[in-house]
Amino acid sequence: MKPKKSLGQNFLNDDSILTKIVETGNIEINDIILEIGPGTGNLTKKILEKKPKVLIVVEKDKDLSFFLKKKFGEKIKVINNDILNCYNDFEFDKPIKVFGNLPYNVSTQILTSFIKIKNMCDKFQKFVFIFQKEVGDRILAHENSKNYGRLSIITSWKLNVRKVIDIDPKYFNPVPKVWSTLLSLTPKLDFEYIKNPENLEHITNIFFHQRRKMIRKPMKQLFNNFDEIANKMNIDLNLRPQNLSKKTYLEICKIYENLNK
Ligand code: SAM
């Protein structure tokens, strides 16, 4: 089958990397596993070797879904769908582990969709995802660095993130132009309560839209009494968006939500 560029089909074909991914997930016999974008089933096969209780795979490509059904038969449940249409459809009596060598064009959308699920922490135990390295760097970034931004703030709101390894393009087929990064993401049990995650997206969007400008402008855009709020929060309005901590953005979001009750 010819790989489809439009679906981000770069298949992993290195056994030691596939083993590393599965080890990162620490699969146990009773685990319920969801794999996103199984492709030709290289990772699927490795996951199955660990004998999880259930393995569901969601593959958008119809031809590959058919191929996977034939290849694995009853051992897995194949869902031929876009993960963005069904990420919140999985109900089990225990939290699920999610694996995916994600299609690059929708990887951040997939991640933020999971994060925005209200009871994400009850439903999911762990995410073991491969991202384009540049995206991985943005997820992992801390304040005062050039990669710090919306994705770092939104991810760290609900997830603890650990970088496992960077992956050389030569381990994929076809060979992509860029490096990848394997991340392990685990839900935080004590994350800050935010009424609506869209508000955090909205606020970080306003701040990082002009990341080189001083934060006076976005603060003014969000609040009539921006001076007073900045004073109370002890924020210097001459700082740049990248200088504010993740915690500060969550505080700003809460103030915004209380004003817009
Ligand atoms: N897991 C395989 C591997 O590592 O060899 C394939 C990974 S490949 C980078 C991404 C896979 O996701 C492809 O099989 C592609 O068809 C599938 N895919 C792309 N967009 C998708 C979507 N929105 N929902 C579900 N699967 C998708």
Side-chain angles (χ1 to χ4, degrees):
M1 257 177 282
K2 199 167 174 274
K4 299 181 180 106
K5 216 175 164 185
S6 63
L7 288 174
Q9 291 179 357
N10 296 92
F11 303 117
L12 249 176
N13 52 20
D14 181 83
D15 196 64
S16 63
I17 303 281
L18 291 164
T19 303
K20 188 84 191 162
I21 300 170
V22 172
E23 277 173 7
T24 303
N26 205 6
I27 299 172
E28 289 168 8
I29 300 247
N30 268 327
D31 280 347
I32 316 282
I33 310 276
L34 168 66
E35 189 192 350
I36 300 169
T40 49
N42 298 345
L43 179 59
T44 318
K45 184 167 166 274
K46 278 272 168 205
I47 294 173
L48 270 180
E49 285 171 11
K50 295 284 173 193
K51 302 192 180 352
K53 189 171 173 193
V54 179
L55 174 53
I56 303 164
V57 303
V58 176
E59 174 55 63
K60 189 172 175 182
D61 188 322
K62 206 171 159 193
D63 299 330
L64 282 177
S65 300
F66 183 72
F67 171 83
L68 290 162
K69 276 182 199 165
K70 264 187 92 174
K71 181 168 175 176
F72 294 106
E74 298 291 299
K75 290 187 196 136
I76 62 172
K77 181 173 166 45
V78 181
I79 299 175
N80 177 212
N81 200 349
D82 185 329
I83 187 64
L84 294 170
N85 292 332
C86 61
Y87 63 90
N88 200 11
D89 290 353
F90 306 98
E91 291 288 346
F92 287 92
D93 53 8
K94 64 177 288 195
I96 305 171
K97 286 182 183 166
V98 189
F99 287 74
N101 173 15
L102 300 180
Y104 290 155
N105 52 342
V106 280
S107 64
T108 56
Q109 226 180 316
I110 293 172
L111 176 65
T112 50
S113 300
F114 280 113
I115 291 172
K116 287 194 278 180
I117 295 176
K118 214 173 181 167
N119 54 348
M120 181 205 75
C121 304
D122 304 326
K123 284 182 126 178
F124 300 96
Q125 193 180 345
K126 196 174 206 165
F127 301 90
V128 179
F129 284 160
I130 294 180
F131 294 93
Q132 206 171 326
K133 183 173 180 304
E134 172 264 326
V135 173
D137 289 345
R138 284 198 278 134
I139 291 172
L140 289 158
H142 294 292
E143 67 211 67
N144 299 320
S145 70
K146 76 171 187 337
N147 289 319
Y148 182 62
R150 300 184 61 198
L151 204 51
S152 344
I153 295 160
I154 291 166
T155 308
S156 87
W157 167 43
K158 277 201 187 171
L159 294 165
N160 286 311
V161 191
R162 180 173 68 87
K163 176 171 171 162
V164 184
I165 40 164
D166 287 329
I167 308 173
D168 193 307
K170 72 179 179 195
Y171 295 126
F172 297 85
N173 180 27
V175 178
K177 289 197 178 77
V178 293
W179 278 66
S180 300
T181 297
L182 172 63
L183 296 183
S184 165
L185 308 104
T186 34
K188 287 181 178 172
L189 298 175
D190 56 347
F191 64 93
E192 288 285 341
Y193 174 73
I194 283 179
K195 281 183 209 150
N196 185 353
E198 314 265 324
N199 287 329
L200 186 58
E201 285 192 313
H202 173 63
I203 283 165
T204 50
N205 198 14
I206 288 183
F207 274 86
F208 285 92
H209 181 62
Q210 291 180 303
R211 57 181 299 140
R212 284 173 216 287
K213 296 264 162 73
M214 284 185 264
I215 60 164
R216 178 181 305 277
K217 198 173 165 206
M219 282 293 280
K220 207 168 172 178
Q221 204 174 326
L222 287 167
F223 306 110
N224 290 332
N225 57 340
F226 69 99
D227 263 331
E228 200 184 307
I229 290 175
N231 227 336
K232 235 187 189 162
M233 292 183 73
N234 209 5
I235 300 177
D236 176 356
L237 289 170
N238 297 321
L239 291 173
R240 321 276 153 174
Q242 72 192 50
N243 304 126
L244 298 189
S245 70
K246 295 167 183 175
K247 195 163 169 263
T248 303
Y249 279 107
L250 295 177
E251 278 169 29
I252 293 173
C253 184
K254 284 170 124 176
I255 294 172
Y256 177 83
E257 290 192 326
N258 284 332
L259 286 178
N260 292 285
K261 267 198 282 215

